[in-house]
Amino acid sequence: MSKNLVIVESPAKAKTIEGYLGKDFKVASSYGHVRDLPKGDKAIDIKNNFKPTYEVTPDKKEVIKELKKLVKDSETIYLASDDDREGEAISWHLKEVLKLKEDNTKRIVFREITKNAITKAIENPRTIDLDLVNAQQARRILDRLVGFELSPILWKKIKSGLSAGRVQSVAVRLIVEREREIEKFKSKSSYRITALFDVKGKQLSAELPKKFETRELAEEFLKKCIAAEFIIENLETKPGKKSPAAPFTTSTLQQEASRKLYFSVAQTMSVAQKLYEAGKITYMRTDSVNLSEDAMSAAKNEIQSAYGKEYHQARKFTTKSEGAQEAHEAIRPTDFAKQEVSGDRNEQRLYELIWKRAIASQMADAQLEKTNVTIGISTTPEKLSASGEVIKFEGFLKVYLESTDDEQEDEENQNKGLLPPLEIGQALHLIEIKGRESFTRPAPRYTEASLVKKLEEMGIGRPSTYAPTISTIQKRNYVIKESRDGTERKYLEMKVKDNQFSQQEKTEITGADKNKLFPTNIAMVVNDFLVEHFPTVIDFSFTANVEKEFDDIAHGGQNWEDMIANFYGKFHTRVEETANVARADINSSRELGNDPKTGKPVIARLGKFGPLVQIGDQEDEEKQFASLKKGQFIENISLEDALELFKLPRDVGFFEDKKIVAAVGRFGPYIRHDGKFVSLGKEHDPLSINEEEAIQLIKEKREADEKKHIKTFDENPEIQILNGRWGPYIKFGKNNFKIPKDKEAESLTYSETIEIIENQPVKKKGRSFAKKK
């Protein structure tokens, strides 16, 4: 029996901490939250000051049972959940459920899992901070009230299965509004002038500081450059410097891991959680850029020993965010002397990013020499300019440079490099001077990381909410994250080379997107409904103000029940008023015109399985349907595009005397042959795929299926042995079963297969083998 029991949230964390404490301590895990509001309308007693009713979640009943036994055998209980509102709430719920007594229950907090931090926490216990608990409770109750009252309205008025949320709906609104901004954007062309010179065998790039609005003006300028002399008129050299970025907060870590490592926001948090629980980094949910004195001292020692004293510069960063906890720290390594950690490749990559960012924050500025060159043209008063940077002292750049989301800025920075030797009055030999037509770009679609950045800038959400919010809006099918091909666009390029003017029309790809967030049709309909009928709930400033009120509650400055009451009164009245809105008044369908063949109306609308177009009104018994393709929206699809969709399903040809049909279903475009379906993916369009391409896809699918199938049994054909992504497995009904390592998949007998099925627990819901047998 251990005298002391320490309860944390995760088993990985428990294992790490148990290694630091002696035999007098037992460390157990609660596996996260143990209680929550039950489903249904009995969770919150609105009339009784919003009193919540909590219940132990079914999956935690055994956990509580075990913890109660351990509590009974322990003299002192330490509640050691995370040092934030969620963690405080977990400790409070544990205290309530386990019926812990004040005299032998202590709350301890730490933001890194190291022996020193754990020992200090044990030596300096405190009581549960009820203000923090109430802030978490207020968020949970408010979000439940919004979701519980709004979602049924969406089911009745738009489509069943929809959901709304205080933060998730604001995030969706940002993505919808950006999409519409892009749709309405009218691109303007202008002409950028760039020149290339030969300087004693080395090249010098220069450009005209302004752009020409028309082709005629650009052509006129270029023709003036025929036979012109180009001379260096001025060289201006001045010192410059670059300073390092602050250490990571949750938001900046998510952004930089997305840019540099191509991690999703959820993946970043999952990998960071593992690093934290293994004691490698400090707590990964923080909006503070502060480093402790100990951390700064450790970083100093590492920098001076690895790079030299001149590379160190102590820096204290302050957080702009009003609600930030400066007492907390930024995300940093717990031991700066470790540049590598054990774990998988992603853990190593993320740790290295965190280590570099934290170390760089305590390093000297990079010292630069910036040179600006002015080039005169003998035939015109216009001047060309060139610039270059020379790094005189690397400073923090020896370790790390922050990336940006601005593609244009990245392109411009690439052109700044080392200049060839130049002097005033020097004549330059022109290789070529070009005028290239360029086009203005709309604001880019959001990536997961840039959406996090936007939410943080607007004060919406907190470090703990970014990842779940972005995951939720994708799970709810409001937002799709994907890459989409661009479209071809023609542009004009004019050139003067060897004193000859020429021009050529060229083609480029524009509008290609990689891993961007696109709204779905349902997102647009739901967003418009909420903006019209619940403007307060998804108002940006209101949502940010609610976050500030949660912060006030956490600091003891406001009563949580009053805060909820102030919100709920107006909100509930609006819910009751909206019950009278007719379904027909909701902008979820649009008449596009008439079908030229039948004269019937063509309507774009939301259907049970997604957006569609139909020929004929609702009462028409012979109406036809066609699903919208990816990227098509009810609100702007044209009559011509809609009529194209009715060309599907289309007959593509024949294979083995059986028809091949191309169509679009709820899971995307496909071809059907002999009762079997083959997905077309992104590579083929169902409207243009030909017989030869379709036959090739059918053959490839058959080949893949043959490789997947290992064997079946006459005794029960529903039992199959298949090849999967991670090797062979047994499939029975809806359940999959692992094949033990000492068994060969190909040589398994029916009785051996049954034995494997019966001896493995079934994780997914499905038919049990016993019933089937």
Side-chain angles (χ1 to χ4, degrees):
M1 177 186 114
S2 299
K3 286 185 194 172
N4 305 290
L5 173 65
V6 179
I7 306 176
V8 295
E9 301 106 309
S10 83
K13 194 171 165 184
K15 189 179 175 186
T16 308
I17 292 171
E18 200 157 58
Y20 295 133
L21 298 170
K23 61 181 186 333
D24 287 341
F25 286 85
K26 165 75 181 165
V27 186
S29 168
S30 71
Y31 295 84
H33 275 282
V34 292
R35 287 201 309 182
D36 198 5
L37 299 169
K39 289 180 180 177
D41 58 357
K42 301 286 188 289
I44 301 161
D45 188 348
I46 292 164
K47 291 175 182 173
N48 191 13
N49 226 5
F50 305 97
K51 186 182 178 185
T53 298
Y54 294 106
E55 63 179 33
V56 174
T57 50
D59 61 324
K60 294 297 164 65
K61 285 184 177 170
E62 278 302 312
V63 173
I64 293 298
K65 199 173 169 184
E66 287 303 311
L67 288 175
K68 280 183 174 175
K69 285 181 195 170
L70 293 170
V71 165
K72 199 175 176 184
D73 294 338
S74 305
E75 289 177 14
T76 307
I77 293 91
Y78 292 91
L79 298 171
S81 47
D82 291 336
D83 183 17
D84 57 16
R85 292 174 201 171
E86 288 294 323
E88 207 68 23
I90 288 172
S91 282
W92 178 73
H93 282 295
L94 282 167
K95 185 171 180 261
E96 295 285 307
V97 173
L98 299 174
K99 296 184 171 53
L100 301 179
K101 295 169 187 168
E102 287 287 345
D103 57 356
N104 69 339
T105 303
K106 300 175 190 293
R107 170 79 170 117
I108 58 169
V109 291
F110 41 83
R111 295 191 72 84
E112 60 183 79
I113 303 175
T114 57
K115 186 165 187 177
N116 186 36
I118 304 301
T119 307
K120 270 189 184 174
I122 296 278
E123 288 169 359
N124 298 282
R126 61 170 172 82
T127 56
I128 290 170
D129 185 335
L130 288 175
D131 290 331
L132 286 180
V133 173
N134 287 335
Q136 188 275 344
Q137 193 163 236
R139 177 188 289 280
R140 185 76 190 91
I141 291 169
L142 184 66
D143 288 348
R144 168 58 73 88
L145 289 170
V146 170
F148 191 77
E149 298 211 355
L150 266 191
S151 297
I153 287 181
L154 297 179
W155 303 342
K156 286 177 195 169
K157 306 297 177 186
I158 301 173
K159 187 171 178 277
S160 62
L162 296 177
S163 74
R166 190 181 51 83
V167 177
Q168 77 171 51
S169 297
V170 170
V172 170
R173 182 180 180 183
L174 285 168
I175 293 162
V176 166
E177 289 185 355
R178 177 58 56 87
E179 192 67 30
R180 285 175 173 158
E181 197 181 323
I182 292 166
E183 181 64 33
K184 287 176 187 168
F185 184 80
K186 300 290 181 221
S187 190
K188 289 181 182 175
S189 71
S190 60
Y191 288 80
R192 179 176 173 231
I193 307 294
T194 57
L196 197 61
F197 298 97
D198 177 41
V199 183
K200 297 175 184 175
K202 293 183 178 177
Q203 289 189 343
L204 170 67
S205 297
E207 72 173 279
L208 198 67
K210 70 173 188 180
K211 289 183 178 180
F212 291 109
E213 295 298 312
T214 65
R215 182 189 64 76
E216 291 77 14
L217 288 171
E219 184 178 334
E220 184 187 340
F221 171 79
L222 288 170
K223 285 181 174 174
K224 283 180 186 174
C225 294
I226 296 172
E229 291 178 358
F230 298 87
I231 294 169
I232 305 272
E233 285 191 355
N234 193 28
L235 284 172
E236 190 181 37
T237 302
K238 55 184 179 182
K241 68 173 185 177
K242 265 194 176 93
S243 299
F248 283 130
T249 61
T250 304
S251 161
T252 54
L253 176 65
Q254 289 168 351
Q255 290 165 51
E256 197 72 337
S258 171
R259 297 177 195 129
K260 280 189 158 71
L261 308 179
Y262 306 105
F263 283 7
S264 69
V265 167
Q267 185 182 11
T268 298
M269 294 313 287
S270 170
V271 176
Q273 180 95 28
K274 287 178 189 171
L275 290 170
Y276 169 66
E277 289 177 349
K280 303 296 190 295
I281 62 168
T282 53
Y283 192 49
M284 66 287 154
R285 291 190 183 92
T286 179
D287 47 14
S288 171
V289 289
N290 186 43
L291 288 181
S292 67
E293 293 296 334
D294 287 349
M296 288 173 69
S297 174
K300 176 183 176 180
N301 293 339
E302 184 61 26
I303 292 162
Q304 290 186 350
S305 64
Y307 308 109
K309 284 186 178 180
E310 69 276 19
Y311 279 88
H312 174 254
Q313 183 179 331
R315 298 171 191 271
K316 284 212 167 198
F317 294 88
T318 53
T319 308
K320 293 174 188 172
S321 169
E322 286 178 44
Q325 299 288 310
E326 289 297 349
H328 294 162
E329 277 196 87
I331 304 167
R332 63 163 175 84
T334 53
D335 183 355
F336 280 99
K338 287 183 181 172
Q339 286 195 44
E340 292 185 4
V341 292
S342 55
D344 63 28
R345 182 169 172 265
N346 284 343
E347 285 172 60
Q348 176 56 45
R349 290 168 75 209
L350 191 67
Y351 177 81
E352 188 181 318
L353 192 68
I354 293 165
W355 185 90
K356 285 181 174 178
R357 176 84 164 217
I359 278 282
S361 77
Q362 298 302 303
M363 291 179 75
D365 291 335
Q367 301 300 327
L368 314 169
E369 185 178 83
K370 294 184 177 182
T371 303
N372 294 317
V373 185
T374 306
I375 300 166
I377 308 167
S378 61
T379 55
T380 174
E382 303 280 8
K383 314 284 182 195
L384 295 170
S385 66
S387 63
E389 277 180 1
V390 177
I391 296 173
K392 292 292 189 181
F393 173 65
E394 280 181 297
F396 78 94
L397 291 178
K398 187 131 187 129
V399 174
Y400 179 84
L401 178 62
E402 185 179 24
S403 300
T404 75
D405 287 317
D406 192 330
E407 292 164 19
Q408 209 158 340
E409 188 183 317
D410 289 344
E411 282 171 25
E412 288 166 10
N413 286 338
Q414 281 173 8
N415 298 327
K416 290 181 182 175
L418 198 60
L419 296 170
L422 301 168
E423 55 188 51
I424 292 174
Q426 181 178 346
L428 298 173
H429 171 67
L430 178 70
I431 299 171
E432 64 178 27
I433 184 165
K434 287 195 298 194
R436 187 194 189 283
E437 187 178 15
S438 60
F439 299 86
T440 51
R441 302 176 188 175
R445 289 181 175 91
Y446 290 105
T447 60
E448 286 191 357
S450 64
L451 180 60
V452 165
K453 185 180 181 183
K454 183 69 175 173
L455 290 169
E456 186 186 42
E457 284 171 358
M458 297 174 83
I460 294 164
R462 286 294 180 261
S464 60
T465 64
Y466 301 137
T469 296
I470 287 171
S471 296
T472 298
I473 61 177
Q474 290 177 66
K475 279 179 196 162
R476 301 272 193 256
N477 200 34
Y478 286 134
V479 172
I480 299 168
K481 182 174 86 169
E482 63 184 6
S483 299
R484 289 188 186 172
D485 299 331
T487 54
E488 280 194 353
R489 174 173 66 189
K490 290 184 169 29
Y491 69 93
L492 187 67
E493 186 177 88
M494 296 176 280
K495 187 191 295 184
V496 169
K497 188 173 185 178
D498 300 328
N499 289 327
Q500 296 291 317
F501 174 82
S502 63
Q503 62 182 26
Q504 186 181 3
E505 192 174 65
K506 293 187 171 183
T507 303
E508 65 181 353
I509 299 295
T510 181
D513 277 308
K514 188 175 180 184
N515 288 330
K516 295 288 177 73
L517 299 174
F518 295 85
T520 61
N521 277 277
I522 197 74
M524 290 179 154
V525 173
V526 169
N527 177 72
D528 291 351
F529 176 79
L530 293 176
V531 167
E532 184 179 351
H533 298 287
F534 295 92
T536 309
V537 176
I538 62 170
D539 176 74
F540 300 132
S541 57
F542 166 78
T543 311
N545 287 334
V546 168
E547 296 293 351
K548 287 178 186 170
E549 290 191 80
F550 291 148
D551 292 341
D552 286 345
I553 294 166
H555 298 135
Q558 188 173 172
N559 178 285
W560 75 267
E561 290 101 332
D562 293 344
M563 182 254 171
I564 302 284
N566 288 338
F567 166 83
Y568 185 74
K570 297 170 197 164
F571 170 68
H572 185 66
T573 303
R574 203 78 190 89
V575 168
E576 289 176 328
E577 288 169 0
T578 311
N580 301 319
V581 175
R583 193 167 178 143
D585 294 340
I586 295 161
N587 187 24
S588 61
S589 69
R590 186 173 145 251
E591 195 165 317
L592 310 179
N594 293 93
D595 174 28
K597 290 180 185 174
T598 63
K600 292 179 180 180
V602 180
I603 299 160
R605 66 177 183 85
L606 273 180
K608 188 177 179 183
F609 298 113
L612 55 84
V613 282
Q614 71 181 47
I615 295 175
D617 55 31
Q618 289 303 93
E619 288 72 38
D620 189 342
E621 290 183 9
E622 295 178 357
K623 56 183 175 286
Q624 297 169 261
F625 301 100
S627 295
L628 263 60
K629 290 199 295 185
K630 189 165 61 178
Q632 291 182 325
F633 292 111
I634 291 168
E635 64 184 47
N636 57 26
I637 188 171
S638 67
L639 176 63
E640 292 72 23
D641 288 341
L643 292 172
E644 278 289 305
L645 297 171
F646 288 97
K647 292 178 181 176
L648 298 174
R650 63 179 267 266
D651 294 346
V652 176
F654 284 86
F655 177 50
E656 297 170 345
D657 295 327
K658 291 185 177 75
K659 195 188 282 185
I660 304 169
V661 176
V664 174
R666 60 185 297 200
F667 301 112
Y670 65 88
I671 51 174
R672 186 177 70 245
H673 173 259
D674 193 19
K676 294 185 174 64
F677 298 84
V678 181
S679 172
L680 291 182
K682 293 179 182 178
E683 296 78 30
H684 299 281
D685 188 328
L687 289 165
S688 60
I689 189 168
N690 60 39
E691 184 181 79
E692 187 184 340
E693 291 168 332
I695 291 169
Q696 182 62 31
L697 288 175
I698 291 164
K699 286 179 176 177
E700 286 171 6
K701 178 77 165 55
R702 283 181 182 176
E703 202 176 306
D705 287 346
E706 279 171 22
K707 284 179 183 173
K708 184 180 179 183
H709 182 268
I710 297 174
K711 70 193 294 186
T712 50
F713 300 96
D714 292 337
E715 295 92 330
N716 188 344
E718 210 175 332
I719 297 176
Q720 301 174 70
I721 300 178
L722 304 172
N723 240 325
R725 192 172 167 189
W726 291 285
Y729 66 96
I730 298 164
K731 180 176 173 61
F732 172 63
K734 293 181 181 178
N735 298 312
N736 298 334
F737 302 87
K738 283 182 184 176
I739 295 172
K741 288 180 182 176
D742 60 341
K743 301 280 186 187
E744 285 270 335
E746 292 80 1
S747 59
L748 279 175
T749 64
Y750 180 62
S751 58
E752 285 175 322
T753 307
I754 289 175
E755 192 180 337
I756 292 168
I757 292 170
E758 289 185 332
N759 290 331
Q760 274 186 38
V762 174
K763 289 182 182 175
K764 294 178 183 175
K765 287 181 183 177
R767 290 164 289 183
S768 74
F769 184 74
K771 285 180 188 172
K772 192 74 189 170
K773 191 170 69 170

